[in-house]
Amino acid sequence: MHRRNFIKHAGFIGGGVSLLGSPAFANVLTGSDEPWFDKSMRWAQLAFVENDPGHYDPDFWLNYFDKIHADGVLLSAGGIVAFYPTEIPYHHRSAWLGNSDPLGYLVKECRKKNRTVILRTDPHATRQDMYDAHPGYIAVTADGKKRRHWANPELWVTCALGPYNFEFMTKVIAEIMQRFQPEGIFSNRWQGHGICYCEHCTQNFKTATGLELPKVTEQSSSAPDPTYLKWMDWQTDRLKDLWFLWDAEIRKIKPAARVIPNGFPDKLLTGKYADFFFADQQGRRGVIPPWANAKGGKELRASMGMKPLINIFSVGPEEEFRWKDSVQTDAELKIWVAEGVANGMKPCFVKFGGYVYDKRWMDAVADMYQKYYKAENYLRNTASLSRVGMVYSQQTDQKYSGRPWQENKRDHSLGMYQALVEDRMPFDMVNDHLLDEEHLKHYKLLILPNIACLSDVQCEQLRHYVQTGGSIVATFETSLYTEDGKPRNNFGLSDLFGVSYANSVDGPMRNSYLRLKADSGDHQFHPVLKGLEDAYRIINTVYQVNVKQDATFPSPVTLIPTYPDLPMEDVYPRVAETDTRELYLREIGKGRVAYIPGDMERSYWQIMSADHSKLLRNIIRWSLNEDVVADVQGPGIVDVAVWRQKNSMTVHLVNLTNPMMMKGTFRELLPTHAQVSIMIPENKKVSRVRLLMADTRPAFQSKSGKIIVSVPKILDHEIIAIDLTS
């Protein structure tokens, strides 16, 4: 929905009260300017440290904001430290503040340049004087002790769900709003750090559920503790109440303002209630691919639609030991940011501390921001043009566990995501609670990587989707459990898969294989085996669900069972092949259904077999059964996204080809190239094609509703911009 229409039809989120009729809010909607949510495209965050006042040069940063065309700023204001002369007792002023107001100066100067201003609070810790005055504000551990801060023992951890946030921080936020009139308040680390056993949480949880707080402190990979699941639901409800309270308070002061709660735990509610959101995905840690930034953004986009989504990225490393005053390489920064921008997020760098010890990152950020500034009109997306959606499920993440084959459950989505990126397939993420016809109407194919927990209603929605021409790829235990994680006797989607559950799961299967076969009649290989015709067999999955076939249809992939892998003299198959099918392919009307009983995508993520990737990609292409909206040919790994704007469309190409792709950081960028075939929307003509990052106008060919563009060089990020006319 267009932003103006969305705001016009969206009611106030707190307490059922409507502010839409207030004069101040009406002026925001009916004035000549668009609402502030959509205005700013390039953001800068300064997360101050306590000794910054008097030690850093604010004009240095204001000049840098000008240089990079930053039109939105996120500045630290209060909470643990107040960076302005607060009048609230126990709201700790910076000891270096004196009589100055450095925050006020920055806000005033940013206003002169018409920048959007959002102010940051952090309520997760407090000082000894607050402890002495209000001991009930402090979080309590399971053994009944007040909780010291894990990183700074001079501080105490506050209770997120009690009066510290609901009373004290409400006053702080109101004071900041009154004093500075920002567009919004961004609350960092506001949701707590695990279960708090203070008197308020103990009583409130018992009142809401009749239960004592759970003794487990986090969700286990074994069978989930039902009381812990109740606590997770209660925590979400309590945080929603807090969000609505804060939002209501600041709207009393400035009706167009919003509270932006960092990392609200339910993405569906985030999408429903947030008009504007920050994706706090600052960088890689450990063995994480750079596309993880895009994945997090796509998951939020699935419920938020086209509402503004800002990607906070750190100029420093994000590894375990948190070297916050160091910096990342230019190449690493550029790829991480490119993944965010290509997938519909607006960049926001965060610098911890106002003093710069290492300036090497600044030119890299300036280079990116200046290029995105020139390309701004082509980054104001109105819709994704992807025809493939990959479903993700928070209820499966929370409720599906307890068996050996259910461990490492998130590897299913990671493996499928990697296969899609390797296939250069443009795709979106789809929230499993938004499977209605309206949300799915743009997609030809849905991919369900072991979406095990589905309700009867969700199954019926997927059934309707296929009956109306959609296609599905599903794996492993998809639909074998209810939304509460309770096992079904049969798949909820058994009629689509053409199989029934045979009451067991095999694995881990050592030294087992998949037999790839041509059709026994015409000896032709099925399209899903393209590129594998010379492979008699390939590696099997690690686990597989035993199923019974309910429909008659061929399968090009069958089972070669486990046989000994030692001693070497005994390594030979005892059974040459079986009739047990490992892939079920069906055509239902205009739709296609592919069901894989093995955990192929998880096995792929864990062992990175190229054959698994190729087979998955072939299955996806066969199931899609239409031309890809942007078909990219060429060497290397290129992530692809396709968007519409008001009078144009864009194809984003992010070059992930790098030996450090699966474990950062990138040392350098290694250029690649591509030829791209792009489907043009019906009833539209191409008036101009540009490569925005290279700032060139390439030649292109038009053919049968498509154009073909050669991109001679993709270093980090290239954007093919296509101007359209009727």
Side-chain angles (χ1 to χ4, degrees), residues 518-524:
D519 185 85
S520 58
D522 58 13
H523 303 290
Q524 296 295 310

Side-chain angles (χ1 to χ4, degrees), residues 231-259:
W231 176 83
M232 291 177 67
D233 290 340
W234 173 77
Q235 179 205 36
T236 300
D237 288 341
R238 188 78 173 148
L239 288 174
K240 185 174 70 171
D241 291 343
L242 180 61
W243 176 10
F244 288 6
L245 170 66
W246 286 347
D247 201 77
E249 288 300 311
I250 71 169
R251 292 202 203 188
K252 291 176 184 176
I253 300 165
K254 187 174 183 177
R258 297 291 185 272
V259 163

Side-chain angles (χ1 to χ4, degrees), residues 13 35 183 339 382 413 585 623:
I13 63 178
E183 275 68 47
E339 276 292 281
T382 59
S413 63
L585 305 172
S623 302

